[in-house]
Amino acid sequence: MNILVCMSVVPDTTTKITFTENDTKFNTDGVQYIINPYDELSLTRALELTEKHGGNVTVIHVGEASTDPVIRKALAIGAAEAVRVNAHPEDGMFVAKQIAEYAKQGNFDMILMGRESIDYNGGQMAGLVAEMMGLPLINVVTELDSDGSSVTATRDIDGGKQQVKSSLPCVLSAQKDLCEPRIPNMRGIMQARTKPLNVIEAVDQSSGTSFDSYKLPPAKSGVKLIDAENAEELIDLLHNEKKLF
Amino acid sequence: MSIAVFVETDNGEYKKSSFEAVSRASEFAKASGSTCIAITVGSKGGENLGKYGANEHIHLSGDGLEMFHPQTYATAVFNAVESKGINTVFISQTYSGKSLAPLLAVKMNGALVTGVVDLPESNSDFTVTKTCFSNKAFAKVKVTSDKSVLTLIPNSFSISESGSDVNTEEMAANAGSANTEVLDTQKVTGKVVLTEAELVVSGGRGLKGPENWNMIEELADTLGAATACSKPVSDMEWRPHSEHVGQTGITIKPNLYIAVGISGAIQHLAGVGSSKVICVINTDPEAPFFKAADYGIVGDAFEVVPKLIKRAKEIKGLA
């Protein structure tokens, strides 16, 4: 069973977000980059499945050379090889075209990725890739297993959960709960240095959107403190002034 | 050209977030010199979608459309898109909407923008605002393709009911058969669903243990709110992972978020920071959450929350 894991490289979750150049660019000064947490879950589950059924995990990332150290981390965790499409990821549609193009040439039984990246929060990649390749989609899965010829997965739906079965190949996106992320060990880190990280060029340069500028959420005007002795007053304010219930 | 809204039906009722989408999309369509077509698939809700501003209503039905499936629904909606010459489709960003949107965008060969919280007046400058960096920021995104699909975050747009009734046009859709098989579905019953809740009561490590969640649940039940929790609480398995709100959990945007015993780490604020009114109850006056709050009580949850419950019950006539 060969699995393609799609990976975003994102700012660490503790990053304070700021912008530069008149709020048109994300300020990367001092930012630590990590594997997108949901993609890390996909990678771990993919490794568990290939350990059970045989086969390899390939990681694909669309980004510039500065992301290579983070891709090496995915190799250290256990991916057999990595591919970087050498391009600035313009938007989700652009990235999906690169992934679909690469995946069509490979012989993958499964394409796995996180349910969204924590930087642009598109949550669209699994659906875009599935549709471009004409493959079944199971989005936002918290459990995933395979008998080698099909998969069963539990996915989040509005107000509940659903168990879904699909033939292979198919495309899935990982939700929290899928597994515990693996931490690379010393042996993995040593091996990662010599594993292949192939760089390929982007195919189709078109995207349907442009990110023009950014802004931070408006700051709160200040907290109104209520004395703990008269805590009931909070409920009165929410009821009478804010009319929330 | 025309603009469409995919209106989601759940259990024979249209979703409230779909009414938000129709209300806003119909204003946008009008200002763009266009019409707004509401599209429903499978079962229909009881209300007339003209009330929310739709100029037309197309109802698609056929084999394989009895329940939501991303592939069959995308095929069906695309049928309507083609036959009506639709350029832009708005979809409320529910779990279903998020699965449907990318498939439809690829079929339309158009652009896709998710996480939309603000729209321009008209399509003459089609620049929308979307959330990014997990709610720590917003991006202005220009739609450069003439075809597009946009998903709107629930509770971002208000509902307007000033329209008049429209007739429903029935359309047969050939959606083919689904490419995945649903084995079983479990829906939460008798509780407010967190992702759709208008009011949320959330607990953190300050509550000291899962045995103390009764008061969180009692306050939530009294207010008609959903319950949530912080990451450490779900990591320690005091509460299920499905209740974890924050950057790596669920992102919510309720009208009211009451945080009890949560200090307000940056990752937690990312998931809840766009809630309209935030109330923080914490023993530590230096807790960072107070800076992001509208109302705060510095005090012990075990003394404060029972007082809130008592007053809420009086107001609700339950005492």
Side-chain angles (χ1 to χ4, degrees), chain A residues 121-132:
Chain A
N121 308 102
Q124 46 186 258
M125 200 53 56
L128 293 175
V129 170
E131 183 65 22
M132 285 174 186

Side-chain angles (χ1 to χ4, degrees), chain A residues 176-177 180, chain B residues 202-205 210 213 228-246 248-250 262 268:
Chain A
K176 202 194 167 206
D177 253 12
E180 285 299 319
Chain B
S202 187
R205 227 174 344 187
W213 242 262
C229 70
S230 66
K231 183 171 188 290
V233 164
S234 90
D235 285 349
M236 292 184 289
E237 296 185 353
W238 293 0
R239 299 295 290 176
H241 286 287
S242 56
E243 281 199 2
H244 163 204
V245 289
T248 53
I250 292 170
I262 301 175
H268 187 76

Side-chain angles (χ1 to χ4, degrees), chain A residues 88-150:
Chain A
H88 176 72
E90 295 294 337
D91 73 353
M93 194 64 80
F94 172 86
V95 172
K97 283 175 186 170
Q98 313 309 322
I99 293 169
E101 185 63 28
Y102 176 80
K104 277 176 196 163
Q105 296 160 18
N107 187 22
F108 298 106
D109 300 289
M110 217 184 280
I111 302 175
L112 258 175
M113 65 195 82
R115 72 167 168 94
E116 67 179 44
S117 68
I118 62 164
D119 54 359
Y120 286 91
N121 308 102
Q124 46 186 258
M125 200 53 56
L128 293 175
V129 170
E131 183 65 22
M132 285 174 186
M133 299 187 67
L135 295 179
L137 164 71
I138 310 179
N139 237 347
V140 200
V141 308
T142 54
E143 289 173 49
L144 166 62
D145 227 319
S146 175
D147 58 10
S149 62
S150 67

Side-chain angles (χ1 to χ4, degrees), chain A residues 17-19 22-25 212-218, chain B residues 117-118 128-133 135-140:
Chain A
I17 304 296
T18 56
F19 301 99
N22 241 343
D23 287 340
T24 58
K25 293 270 186 305
D212 289 351
S213 66
Y214 299 89
K215 64 178 179 186
L216 297 172
Chain B
V117 293
D118 202 10
V128 306
T129 306
K130 86 173 288 288
T131 57
C132 62
F133 297 101
N135 276 323
K136 290 178 194 168
F138 298 98
K140 293 251 184 200

